[in-house]
Amino acid sequence: MSEQGKLDTVPSLVERLQDLHQRTRETPLFNPVFQLSHDISRRLESGALDLGNIDSLIAELECDALQSRSKRLRRMVGPIGRPHDWIGTATDFQTFRATWEKPQLHAVFTAHPTFLLTPQQTGAVAEAASGEEDIGKEACVAPHDRPAITLDFEHERALRAIAHAQDARDAMVGQLLGEAEQRWPEEWRELAPQPFRFASWVGYDMDGRTDIKWYTSIAYRLGEKAQRLERYVAQLEAIDASHALLGTLRPAAQYAAERAQDFLEDLSEPTALSAAANRLTEPHEHKLLSLAPIIAQLDAEAAESDRERAVALKVLTAAMRADGLGMGWVHFRVNSSQLHNAIRRRIDPDNTLDLASRGAIAALREILATVEPLRSNFAALAIESSTAIRQFLAMAQILQHVDADTPIRMLIAECEQPTTILAALYFARLFGIEDKVDVSPLFETESALEHGGRFLDALLREPAYQDYAKKRGRVAIQTGFSDAGRFVGQVPASLAIERLQGRMAEAMAKNGLTEASALIFDTHGESMGRGAHPGGFPDRLEWPLSPWARRRFARAGIRLEPEVSFQGGDGYLYFETPELARATLETIAAERPAETDPDAPTDPFYRRTDLSLDFYRAIRSHQREHLESKTYSRAITAFGLGLLNETGSRKSRRQSDLSADRDMSLRQIRAIPHNAILQQLGYPVNIISGIGSAADGNYEDLAALISDSPRGRQIIRLVRASNALASIKTVAAFGELFNSAYWASRPYRGTEENLAQACESLAEYLTKDDRNGVFRRLASRLRVDALKLHRLLDLLPDENPLEDREDIRRRIGVLQALRLALLQHMFLKAVSIPAFSRANDISRDDVLEMVFTLRVDDALRQLRRAYPTSFPQIDDFAVDEPSDYPDGEGEGYSAIQKNYIDPLERAYDLSLRVSTAIANEFGAHG
């Protein structure tokens, strides 16, 4: 196709991009993506295309991306309606019981900000993936009616996903019981399957947010109790509509729902809180606090019932044992600094003690040994100012007045010293809940991962912690792949976490804790940038908790309790339909994540540490160079968060002014937005970068090791999957937007004379902008490393090639070009708006900088202030005295609104739709 082609269809754009790629053979510095964006831009500014045409092109590409996402989802979960191969072939009943009476996996439904798709789009993608027919246009839904993503919305979506997971688990439990009845007809009634356990932190996670009221957490817990009891009622009604226990469960569900409503009200005033608290805490015949008597009664009934009724009753009691009086277990989460602030009031009121010191440890040992439990109530909770103590008080009230049996997890973020855990134990003991709370440190910062082994050695040596772990029957930790992947790089983070897990097994064995289980919560997200391996569920499950790490626990005789997260809108997709939920859980069950072969031969990756350890260190060093580089930081923050849609209720970054945007720190951007920006810029740096450089000079030996190593090949599968979607040319293309020479040359030799003034203004303004050079330097660094990566990849087989790789790459390239053309359109519109303003406090340069950093909503607000289209008329006033002024038509700016402000807004909206489509091609947001 010639350069003068219409470029008004997706196929014509793809063809043009392919033609342009051929030019790189002649001119290596030629940028096909930016050239295509220039071609589109010229047609857009000449009127040959308009934003309506661009809208249609994006809509078609959105549909392709949704279909691609549906296919990826189906590939991940395996066949829908798979045979019962996941049950296994155990030859004796005791082995069968040992496999299925302890969870193979704990699944935690978290609400990280990844609600990119509308509920309608989510439903369409999931429905298409849930069937067996070829995925077509039914996966496509226009992105309209996007709801506000509030905490309530996230909570409702989490409970919906959990409900589907519960139904899928019930079906699997029924199959296990049926299989046992056939194989062991004399013993099967002794079986109490529990293949999965579910939990959530939505509404209980206080790390990084202050917008969740304590009584919101209580309301959610009561609401979850009501919903779970209603589901138990429905199950029991299906078995026996006149069952006597319905008389207990039904009113208990109604009572819980009423109390939940009490706590959904505004309880900031003492009178309102007192009334709600007294209604919940007073003795009441329907205040059900334990399912133990009900489970015992149903089990006894099952023992005497016929097969069909017995199976149904045992499925119900299995659900009750797993979930308790809630939709699942709950995870509270605080930051270590919040705990430090709280414990200082007890051991260091003058703020003179280093909490990492031996003196702090000694002080904590003393108060742990002498603490006496205190009674607490909702009034104490209401007046408590410390976030950490408030969480412990809330847990105490839940255990006392909502569910007395189900344990609660206390996750502690940024936990880097044993005193933090001892402080948490102190407060658990102070409020009398130590026997029901699992305190779990989170390791994800570079420092925590580097020193985590020593941390665990020191913590597990403490007699108070040993007593606590034995009482609870588990040692719980959390490993994070978000900040770890951001600040260490995803590959070195995973390897560091693996070593930490191995050190945990050693520390437990050394300190006499082999009778306790090891509960390891690996909080990866759904994208490859956050630790979710895209190669299928075997890779996904092994990437955060490798066979090597599992064998360390097996050989020490320690039972492993693996736990993973399904995060936000991306994670809930796996449970969006009953069919997907069933396929997901059966696929996981078939992999037996809680088991391993302790006698499996050692992977050469762990034996040849002369190669693998150097490989790890070199990648980590390369990643650190990026993170310490002002070039990388400036490129990632060049558009602020303006390339991204709002995807969650938690703020993605702290507020800052225009001057601060230029020096925005990467630490001001949370991990998910950081990864999402990398996707949108076209190159997942924190996955790919450093692999090639780490192999430099040792390609053959390293390739031979990787070829012989399951773990090494798994690393390469992750890197290949990411690299298949990456484009350094796209990274460079973003810099060309800020190239003063481009804008100065654009109307050269009489072309686009209608843009001459605007281009001149842009060229002049951008002479002082640094972003063109920043992107060029970053692209150069990435290119050098990529050349080395490709030398390594050429020596390794591609084990999991993406079938439609080139189609996806071309679609992403066209999407990027369309967005770059839209951004050019926005720049031209912004610089062309007349300088005059009714509101003389508005700086035109400020508005331009807002547009260049994609703070478009802010810019639009300022422009609408400056150029109002509606304003008071003299006829609006009932004033008696006559006036001859004004003597002409009312002054307004309708033309400016129509020709500049509205197109700016629409172009930005279209650019955000491009962002969604690109994320769908990657398979997740961030």
Side-chain angles (χ1 to χ4, degrees):
M1 174 175 294
S2 72
E3 188 173 342
Q4 304 305 316
K6 285 189 173 182
L7 300 183
D8 57 357
T9 67
V10 170
S12 69
L13 290 168
V14 170
E15 183 181 347
R16 174 67 174 154
L17 185 60
Q18 290 173 318
D19 291 343
L20 292 170
H21 269 287
Q22 297 304 313
R23 288 201 200 172
T24 58
R25 297 177 183 273
E26 303 172 14
T27 311
L29 288 177
F30 181 73
N31 194 312
V33 176
F34 191 74
Q35 181 61 47
L36 180 58
S37 78
H38 174 71
D39 294 346
I40 298 167
S41 177
R42 290 184 70 170
R43 295 186 61 77
L44 181 59
E45 303 309 331
S46 72
L49 290 175
D50 60 25
L51 291 179
N53 301 132
I54 303 291
D55 190 324
S56 298
L57 292 168
I58 291 172
E60 184 175 341
L61 289 161
E62 282 175 318
C63 182
D64 290 339
L66 288 167
Q67 289 173 290
S68 174
R69 184 150 192 188
S70 293
K71 292 174 185 175
R72 183 188 295 265
L73 180 58
R74 186 186 289 180
R75 282 198 303 267
M76 282 295 294
V77 301
I80 303 296
R82 67 185 293 151
H84 300 164
D85 58 345
W86 60 270
I87 292 178
T89 56
T91 56
D92 65 276
F93 183 64
Q94 293 309 318
T95 300
F96 193 77
R97 288 186 71 175
T99 299
W100 296 114
E101 287 195 343
K102 298 292 185 183
Q104 283 291 334
L105 190 76
H106 299 240
V108 188
F109 293 78
T110 63
H112 277 31
T114 62
F115 291 90
L116 177 68
L117 303 182
T118 66
Q120 293 78 12
Q121 287 176 314
T122 296
V125 167
E127 286 293 339
S130 298
E132 298 179 7
E133 302 297 323
D134 288 344
I135 292 169
K137 300 292 186 184
E138 72 278 6
C140 303
V141 174
H144 302 313
D145 302 321
R146 185 175 177 83
I149 306 175
T150 63
L151 183 67
D152 285 343
F153 172 83
E154 292 170 338
H155 187 246
E156 182 275 326
R157 300 301 289 185
L159 296 190
R160 186 175 185 276
I162 292 173
H164 285 158
Q166 289 171 344
D167 291 342
R169 183 187 58 196
D170 286 350
M172 294 173 71
V173 168
Q175 287 182 6
L176 289 168
L177 290 165
E179 188 77 14
E181 191 266 341
Q182 289 184 15
R183 296 190 200 177
W184 304 285
E186 302 302 319
E187 300 171 285
W188 75 274
R189 290 173 193 266
E190 300 171 24
L191 182 66
Q194 194 174 105
F196 294 96
R197 178 169 281 127
F198 307 125
S200 177
W201 74 33
V202 186
Y204 310 95
D205 174 13
M206 299 301 293
D207 178 35
R209 62 191 303 167
T210 58
D211 59 324
I212 302 177
K213 305 293 185 186
W214 67 262
Y215 47 80
T216 304
S217 298
I218 302 295
Y220 278 2
R221 193 70 185 110
L222 285 163
E224 292 163 22
K225 177 179 182 178
Q227 184 172 337
R228 196 61 182 110
L229 284 169
E230 288 164 2
R231 289 172 60 77
Y232 292 147
V233 166
Q235 275 185 270
L236 189 53
E237 282 179 337
I239 299 168
D240 183 351
S242 60
H243 200 287
L245 283 176
L246 291 169
T248 299
L249 294 173
R250 277 199 198 101
Q254 180 62 33
Y255 175 83
E258 291 169 355
R259 301 292 74 76
Q261 192 58 47
D262 289 343
F263 279 83
L264 285 172
E265 304 297 331
D266 181 3
L267 301 185
S268 54
E269 291 299 322
T271 304
L273 170 61
S274 301
N278 289 338
R279 282 193 292 271
L280 177 60
T281 59
E282 67 184 1
H284 195 283
E285 60 178 326
H286 301 315
K287 184 180 173 180
L288 184 63
L289 294 178
S290 173
L291 286 173
I294 292 173
I295 292 171
Q297 185 173 333
L298 292 172
D299 276 342
E301 185 179 331
E304 305 298 327
S305 298
D306 61 68
R307 176 197 177 282
E308 184 177 352
R309 184 182 177 93
V311 167
L313 289 169
K314 289 178 74 63
V315 167
L316 176 56
T317 58
M320 289 179 167
R321 285 191 180 93
D323 299 332
L325 287 166
M327 291 297 286
W329 292 14
V330 293
H331 290 190
F332 281 79
R333 188 162 78 149
V334 295
N335 192 281
S336 61
S337 61
Q338 293 167 326
L339 261 174
H340 294 168
N341 292 337
I343 200 64
R344 280 192 186 281
R345 287 159 45 177
R346 299 278 167 165
I347 66 169
D348 183 30
D350 297 326
N351 197 26
T352 59
L353 189 63
D354 178 1
L355 289 181
S357 66
R358 292 182 180 179
I361 289 275
L364 278 162
R365 285 178 187 148
E366 182 179 344
I367 63 172
L368 270 167
T370 58
V371 61
E372 293 293 331
L374 302 178
R375 293 181 302 168
S376 61
N377 61 19
F378 280 104
L381 178 50
I383 65 173
E384 178 56 52
S385 61
S386 161
T387 300
I389 297 177
R390 201 162 57 228
Q391 297 294 76
F392 282 98
L393 286 166
M395 289 188 286
Q397 295 306 304
I398 288 170
L399 288 164
Q400 190 171 347
H401 299 295
V402 182
D403 183 347
D405 294 337
T406 305
I408 298 174
R409 193 79 52 82
M410 170 51 86
L411 305 170
I412 304 172
E414 298 183 9
C415 191
E416 298 184 3
Q417 48 205 34
T419 47
T420 311
I421 300 301
L422 297 181
L425 291 187
Y426 169 78
F427 288 118
R429 193 171 290 181
L430 180 67
F431 299 118
I433 56 175
E434 182 187 17
D435 60 332
K436 285 289 191 295
V437 173
D438 289 311
V439 176
S440 178
L442 166 61
F443 300 93
E444 68 174 342
T445 64
E446 184 173 10
S447 175
L449 292 177
E450 184 176 345
H451 304 296
R454 290 193 293 275
F455 171 104
L456 289 170
D457 287 338
L459 177 65
L460 270 58
R461 277 199 308 267
E462 287 296 317
Y465 184 84
Q466 290 178 3
D467 292 345
Y468 161 76
K470 290 173 182 176
K471 184 184 299 182
R472 285 295 308 131
R474 63 167 56 101
V475 174
I477 70 166
Q478 179 188 1
T479 65
F481 290 76
S482 50
D483 279 331
R486 173 170 53 146
F487 291 120
V488 183
Q490 192 52 241
V491 170
S494 297
L495 297 177
I497 287 169
E498 180 181 46
R499 289 202 312 278
L500 175 70
Q501 292 162 347
R503 289 288 296 273
M504 178 181 178
E506 291 176 14
M508 289 180 70
K510 187 166 61 178
N511 290 287
L513 292 172
T514 56
E515 295 302 311
S517 64
L519 194 158
I520 301 177
F521 180 19
D522 290 308
T523 53
H524 58 67
E526 306 310 317
S527 79
M528 60 190 81
R530 304 195 71 232
H533 200 296
F537 261 97
D539 277 341
R540 180 191 167 104
L541 292 167
E542 287 185 0
W543 182 249
L545 189 59
S546 69
W548 176 86
R550 295 179 198 175
R551 285 195 294 271
R552 301 295 290 270
F553 290 97
R555 289 171 180 169
I558 299 168
R559 188 171 70 83
L560 194 59
E561 293 187 74
E563 185 168 57
V564 300
S565 56
F566 289 90
Q567 294 194 346
D570 290 337
Y572 300 173
L573 253 179
Y574 289 106
F575 301 89
E576 176 63 20
T577 68
E579 295 81 8
L580 278 175
R582 181 81 171 269
T584 298
L585 293 187
E586 288 181 351
T587 299
I588 293 171
E591 295 303 320
R592 302 286 197 278
E595 302 173 16
T596 192
D597 177 6
D599 300 320
T602 301
D603 186 323
F605 193 82
Y606 307 99
R607 194 172 62 245
R608 289 293 311 274
T609 53
D610 57 321
L611 287 174
S612 59
L613 195 56
D614 284 349
F615 183 59
Y616 156 78
R617 287 170 175 160
I619 302 169
R620 178 174 161 178
S621 174
H622 188 95
Q623 289 282 344
R624 183 185 288 119
E625 286 175 10
H626 275 304
L627 291 164
E628 292 175 352
S629 161
K630 290 184 178 180
T631 295
Y632 179 78
S633 178
R634 179 66 173 131
I636 298 307
T637 60
F639 297 100
L641 298 177
L643 291 172
L644 308 180
N645 294 272
E646 285 287 333
T647 58
S649 67
R650 189 171 82 159
K651 294 300 180 188
S652 295
R653 73 172 174 101
R654 301 181 185 91
Q655 297 300 305
S656 62
D657 57 26
L658 279 171
S659 60
D661 276 355
R662 181 173 292 273
D663 300 314
M664 185 190 298
S665 163
L666 287 177
R667 293 188 179 274
Q668 289 179 273
I669 301 177
R670 301 192 191 280
I672 290 175
H674 174 266
N675 289 344
I677 290 170
L678 291 176
Q679 284 180 356
Q680 297 304 321
L681 293 179
Y683 203 81
V685 176
N686 64 343
I687 304 169
I688 305 171
S689 285
I691 305 294
S693 296
D696 191 16
N698 206 12
Y699 294 108
E700 288 77 13
D701 287 348
L702 193 58
L705 172 63
I706 290 170
S707 296
D708 292 339
S709 161
R711 185 63 161 170
R713 294 198 306 273
Q714 191 175 62
I715 291 170
I716 295 303
R717 286 196 295 274
L718 178 83
V719 173
R720 279 193 191 275
S722 184
N723 192 55
L725 303 170
S727 166
I728 296 173
K729 290 288 189 184
T730 298
V731 177
F734 277 100
E736 293 307 300
L737 289 171
F738 303 99
N739 186 347
S740 175
Y742 165 71
W743 292 107
S745 304
R746 181 161 172 171
Y748 190 57
R749 293 190 175 179
T751 59
E752 299 188 290
E753 289 186 357
N754 59 314
L755 301 180
Q757 184 59 52
C759 286
E760 182 180 331
S761 297
L762 280 170
E764 184 175 5
Y765 186 87
L766 291 172
T767 54
K768 59 183 182 291
D769 196 280
D770 65 329
R771 280 169 283 194
N772 177 234
V774 162
F775 277 103
R776 286 190 173 188
R777 286 194 298 276
L778 177 60
S780 296
R781 293 176 189 177
L782 297 177
R783 177 64 68 196
V784 171
D785 180 63
L787 290 171
K788 297 173 182 178
L789 172 64
H790 286 287
R791 288 195 197 110
L792 176 63
L793 295 181
D794 286 343
L795 299 174
L796 298 166
D798 189 351
E799 296 184 295
N800 194 18
L802 194 62
E803 295 173 10
D804 48 356
R805 175 182 184 271
E806 288 308 313
D807 289 341
I808 291 175
R809 286 181 66 84
R810 293 290 176 260
R811 287 201 301 268
I812 293 175
V814 169
L815 283 162
Q816 294 283 17
L818 283 166
R819 179 166 54 192
L820 288 163
L822 287 166
L823 295 181
Q824 292 183 62
H825 187 65
M826 291 162 58
F827 286 12
L828 288 165
K829 289 296 182 187
V831 82
S832 300
I833 295 173
F836 174 76
S837 169
R838 290 171 64 96
N840 57 17
D841 61 325
I842 296 174
S843 161
R844 183 170 178 271
D845 281 1
D846 280 354
V847 171
L848 287 177
E849 195 58 34
M850 288 174 185
V851 173
F852 294 154
T853 55
L854 297 188
R855 291 179 60 168
V856 179
D857 290 342
D858 291 341
L860 290 169
R861 275 192 293 272
Q862 297 286 22
L863 288 171
R864 286 180 176 130
R865 272 185 63 213
Y867 303 105
T869 55
S870 63
F871 43 84
Q873 302 290 325
I874 197 164
D875 293 342
D876 296 340
F877 299 88
V879 175
D880 294 333
E881 184 178 12
S883 174
D884 295 324
Y885 181 83
D887 55 353
E889 294 295 324
E891 183 183 2
Y893 296 104
S894 297
I896 290 177
Q897 177 87 17
K898 177 183 177 183
N899 295 328
Y900 300 101
I901 299 175
D902 289 348
L904 182 60
E905 180 174 36
R906 188 176 185 192
Y908 184 56
D909 288 343
L910 289 171
S911 78
L912 290 177
R913 285 170 55 188
V914 169
S915 298
T916 300
I918 289 173
N920 282 331
E921 295 287 11
F922 271 84
H925 173 80

